[in-house]
């Protein structure tokens, strides 16, 4: 008797040979799924957006990063956000191609009349109109020029120290990102190392100077940062530049001992690590 006998009456004959359990087959490993190419193309994160210039009132289009299209994977010690495949920082300066008014997106908006006049007199008067087409992406070189213009505009319209410092910081971030992007052994790399790389330190130095001044004369937020984050950043810049180490140690100590909710455990940990680095640098500097 087979287990299935008796089912013929139900029309289910011919099952005598059916196997209840399948023979164990050699287990086939599922083929690894082919990884989809997840490299994001810079064009994919961009869109053309229309802006109205706060100085000459003309309308212009430029490339901006689509909201929610990119998320940083992390950040380095000087708070530079690190992205995979693309660099949205390149697109953060809004520049009017007609009159030369440029500002970081966070500072772009209506301007007071005297500030408009300062820009008209000191920038627009000499500015040569730029091409108005957006193109599909921005080169690092063009983006670097835009950052320089943003800094110049901020200086001309007497922007806050925190604003000028933040532009310098972001310019240094851009240079770092550019450094990662230039190919080894290329002509471009040689040119980059000769002409651009040395400027990273200069921008960081100016960022540090500006943020120290901002801390003394402005109220938070400083370019969107609370006091504790700025303390940490000042400490990090001191370490990076091996400058103002005593001041750096002091502001990091403030984060570590602060009871403010802005001094998070993570920020305190990072500040402790930097404080160790400052002490090591101080020792080394003495030995030299
Ligand atoms: Zn304009």
């Amino acid at each position: 008797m087979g287990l299935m006998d008796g089912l013929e009456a139900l029309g289910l004959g011919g099952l005598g040979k059916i196997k209840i359990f399948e023979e164990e087959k050699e287990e086939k490993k599922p083929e690894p799924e082919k990884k989809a190419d997840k490299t994001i193309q810079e064009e994919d994160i961009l869109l053309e957006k229309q802006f109205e210039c706060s100085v000459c009132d003309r309308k212009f289009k430029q490339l901006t990063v689509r909201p929610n299209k990119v998320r940083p994977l992390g950040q380095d010690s000087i708070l530079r956000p690190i992205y995979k495949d693309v660099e949205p920082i390149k697109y953060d300066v809004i520049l009017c191609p007609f009159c030369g008014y440029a500002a970081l997106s966070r500072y772009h908006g209506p301007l007071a009349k005297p500030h408009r006049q300062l820009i008209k007199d000191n920038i627009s008067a000499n500015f040569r109109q730029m091409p108005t087409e957006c193109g599909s992406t921005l080169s690092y070189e063009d983006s670097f020029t835009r950052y320089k213009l943003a800094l110049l505009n901020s200086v001309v319209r007497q922007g806050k120290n925190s604003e000028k410092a933040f532009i310098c910081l972001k310019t240094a971030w851009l240079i770092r990102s550019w450094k990662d992007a230039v190919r080894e052994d290329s002509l471009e790399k040689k040119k980059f190392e000769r002409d651009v790389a040395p400027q990273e330190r200069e921008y960081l130095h100016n960022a540090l100077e500006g943020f120290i001044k901002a801390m003394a004369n402005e109220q938070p937020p400083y370019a969107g940062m609370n006091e504790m984050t700025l303390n940490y950043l000042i400490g990090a810049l001191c370490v990076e530049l091996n400058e103002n180490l005593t001041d750096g140690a002091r502001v990091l100590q403030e984060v570590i001992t602060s009871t403010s909710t802005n001094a998070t455990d993570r920020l305190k940990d990072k500040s402790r690590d930097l404080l160790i680095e400052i002490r090591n640098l101080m020792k080394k500097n003495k030995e030299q």
Side-chain angles (χ1 to χ4, degrees), residues 53-58 60 96-101 124:
C53 179
S54 313
V55 173
C56 70
D57 297 324
R58 292 184 72 172
F60 61 92
C96 171
F98 303 109
C99 74
Y101 174 56
S124 310

Side-chain angles (χ1 to χ4, degrees), residues 27-45:
E27 208 180 328
K28 262 194 181 171
K29 281 185 187 162
E31 297 235 336
E33 270 179 55
K34 274 191 184 167
K35 270 192 185 168
D37 183 15
K38 284 188 179 155
T39 308
I40 307 169
Q41 300 299 318
E42 199 149 297
E43 290 90 331
D44 299 340
I45 65 161

Side-chain angles (χ1 to χ4, degrees), residues 2-173:
L3 283 175
M4 301 292 171
D5 289 350
L7 293 179
E8 290 88 334
L10 300 168
L12 298 171
L15 292 170
K17 286 179 185 165
I18 200 170
K19 285 179 182 161
I20 305 292
F21 303 105
E22 284 193 39
E23 276 171 12
E24 276 190 29
K25 288 180 193 154
E26 221 185 291
E27 208 180 328
K28 262 194 181 171
K29 281 185 187 162
E31 297 235 336
E33 270 179 55
K34 274 191 184 167
K35 270 192 185 168
D37 183 15
K38 284 188 179 155
T39 308
I40 307 169
Q41 300 299 318
E42 199 149 297
E43 290 90 331
D44 299 340
I45 65 161
L46 301 171
L47 85 159
E48 271 185 26
K49 196 174 162 188
Q50 183 164 273
F51 294 90
E52 194 174 315
C53 179
S54 313
V55 173
C56 70
D57 297 324
R58 292 184 72 172
K59 289 188 173 124
F60 61 92
K61 281 185 175 174
Q62 83 165 47
L63 294 171
T64 54
V65 176
R66 288 172 192 270
N68 307 322
K69 263 288 182 187
V70 284
R71 221 176 289 152
L73 300 172
Q75 51 182 203
D76 71 5
S77 72
I78 56 163
L79 305 182
R80 173 190 154 217
I82 316 279
Y83 300 90
K84 187 175 172 281
D85 306 323
V86 291
E87 185 46 276
I89 289 166
K90 282 203 268 178
Y91 300 90
D92 199 36
V93 175
I94 299 168
L95 164 66
C96 171
F98 303 109
C99 74
Y101 174 56
L104 291 188
S105 56
R106 68 174 308 115
Y107 297 111
H108 194 263
L111 284 177
K113 216 177 165 193
H115 291 163
R116 285 166 73 122
Q117 201 54 50
L118 281 169
I119 290 167
K120 280 182 184 171
D121 295 346
N122 296 287
I123 293 177
S124 310
N126 302 310
F127 186 73
R128 259 188 237 148
Q129 188 179 319
M130 293 172 66
T132 50
E133 314 83 63
C134 296
S136 59
T137 56
L138 262 186
S139 67
Y140 275 99
E141 202 165 1
D142 287 344
S143 177
F144 191 30
T145 306
R146 299 166 80 92
Y147 271 92
K148 287 181 201 168
L149 274 168
L151 183 60
L152 177 66
N153 270 272
S154 183
V155 172
V156 163
R157 67 174 173 81
Q158 299 154 356
K160 283 183 177 179
N161 287 319
S162 58
E163 179 185 332
K164 288 179 280 186
F166 191 56
I167 299 169
C168 290
L169 178 70
K170 285 200 94 166
T171 313
W173 288 350

